[in-house]
Amino acid sequence: MQRIRLRYTKRGRLRFTSHRDFQRAFERALRRSAVPMAYSAGFTPHPKVSYANAAPTGVASEAEYLEIGLAAPRDPEELRVQLDESLPGGLDVIDAVEVRTPNFVERLEASEWQVRLDGVEPQEAGRAIALFLAEERVEVERLTKNGVRVFDARGAVAALELLPPQVVDGAATAGEEARDVRTGRPCAILRLVVRHATPAVRPDDVLSGLRATADLAPPVPAEVTRLAQGPLDEGTGTVTDPLALDRAAAPAGPVATGEPRATASA
C-alpha cells in the first residue's frame, strides 16, 4: 500500500467550514477523481484517511495535513493536482509527498499564526506584547465541554512579535503610518508561534492573556491564519517544514504509477 501525505489550505470564506465539512468535501473529491483508495477491514470498511491537528472552525490556514492510503501507486504531484481540481476554491491541496518516514504527528511541534487586530493601534499592541512576554505565567479561562478550565497561556508561546503595518502605497503622514491597506483603519498584525502542548493553547487564549495583562481588547474579532505547523527551531522561534524528511528520503527518479488518472468531473 502506498501512502501519501498532503498539505491543504482553508482560505477566505472556507475558513468557516468545520473539520467534518472538510472531511465530506474531501471524500467526495476522492470519488470524483477515482483515486484508488485502500480501505480498512471489517464490517463497514472506510477509506484510509487520517487527519493531523486540524485548525478550529473560523480560522484560516495555509498548513493543514492529512495522509491517505492507496491500493495502487500514483505520482504524488499528479494526485495533488487531481484532488485540487475536485475541491472547491479555498480548500486547496498545495503539496504532496510519498510517506517515507514514521511519526509524522510527532513532528507537528508548533504552529505559526498571523493575527490581525483591526481597530488596534500598533503601538498599543506592541505595549501589550511586551507586558505579556514579561510574565512567567499568564492564566486564562476557557469554557470546555467539561466546564471552565484555567491554564497557562504564556508557557506555550515560543515567539510573539508585532509585524510592520500594511500601509497604503505612496507617502504616508504620521497619522497614516499605521493604517491598514485593506481597511483604511488602524490595524495591528501579530506573528505568534505556539508550541503544541496539553492542554492546547490557541491564538484566542493568547489574546485572552493580552487582555488580562495589558487590557488589550480589539473592537472586532481577530482574524487568525495558521501560516505553518511543524518542527520548532527553538533558537530562532521558527516553524520548519514537516514534509522535508519524506522528501529527503525519496529515491531519485519518477514514481511508478498504475492506470492513467481519471478526469475530474463535477
Side-chain angles (χ1 to χ4, degrees):
M1 180 181 72
Q2 184 189 36
R3 292 182 297 153
I4 303 291
R5 286 177 179 143
L6 302 170
R7 176 180 175 180
Y8 66 96
T9 71
K10 291 200 310 178
R11 295 168 171 162
R13 296 179 62 185
L14 273 297
R15 70 184 185 274
F16 295 109
T17 58
S18 68
H19 182 55
R20 188 178 295 274
D21 291 333
F22 175 78
Q23 285 179 307
R24 286 194 289 262
F26 186 69
E27 289 178 5
R28 285 196 296 268
L30 291 172
R31 292 194 295 270
R32 288 171 180 163
S33 303
V35 174
M37 291 297 298
Y39 283 79
S40 62
F43 186 73
T44 54
H46 297 283
K48 289 194 173 182
V49 182
S50 58
Y51 300 87
N53 197 32
T57 302
V59 171
S61 180
E62 294 292 315
E64 302 297 287
Y65 293 94
L66 61 83
E67 182 179 305
I68 61 176
L70 304 181
R74 288 291 184 270
D75 176 75
E77 176 58 18
E78 290 184 5
L79 180 67
R80 183 200 69 76
V81 173
Q82 190 176 345
L83 289 171
D84 187 54
E85 291 174 348
S86 299
L87 284 166
L91 298 178
D92 305 312
V93 183
I94 60 174
D95 204 351
V97 298
E98 184 170 1
V99 173
R100 301 284 180 180
T101 60
N103 305 323
F104 178 74
V105 173
E106 295 178 9
R107 283 179 238 161
L108 303 181
E109 297 173 343
S111 286
E112 178 181 351
W113 305 89
Q114 179 177 285
V115 183
R116 289 177 51 90
L117 303 178
D118 285 320
V120 174
E121 295 286 352
Q123 184 177 3
E124 180 187 0
R127 179 188 65 85
I129 289 172
L131 291 173
F132 178 87
L133 294 178
E135 299 290 336
E136 292 186 3
R137 182 178 178 87
V138 178
E139 290 190 344
V140 298
E141 294 183 350
R142 186 199 302 163
L143 181 61
T144 70
K145 62 181 180 181
N146 296 321
V148 175
R149 185 168 189 178
V150 179
F151 56 94
D152 176 26
R154 174 65 183 91
V157 174
L160 177 58
E161 61 182 340
L162 182 68
L163 296 179
Q166 299 173 354
V167 298
V168 179
D169 292 339
T173 66
E176 294 176 332
E177 289 177 353
R179 184 183 302 172
D180 182 59
V181 67
R182 185 156 39 141
T183 65
R185 299 181 302 173
C187 179
I189 304 176
L190 313 185
R191 173 184 173 268
L192 169 66
V193 177
V194 180
R195 299 179 186 88
H196 297 166
T198 303
V201 174
R202 305 181 305 200
D204 56 327
D205 298 320
V206 176
L207 291 175
S208 295
L210 290 170
R211 183 165 56 249
T213 57
D215 198 27
L216 181 68
V220 296
E223 183 179 315
V224 180
T225 302
R226 173 148 61 189
L227 301 179
Q229 62 171 322
L232 174 64
D233 185 331
E234 292 282 0
T236 61
T238 57
V239 177
T240 59
D241 182 8
L243 301 179
L245 289 178
D246 293 295
R247 291 194 185 90
V255 177
T257 60
E259 298 176 359
R261 69 180 181 91
T263 302
S265 58

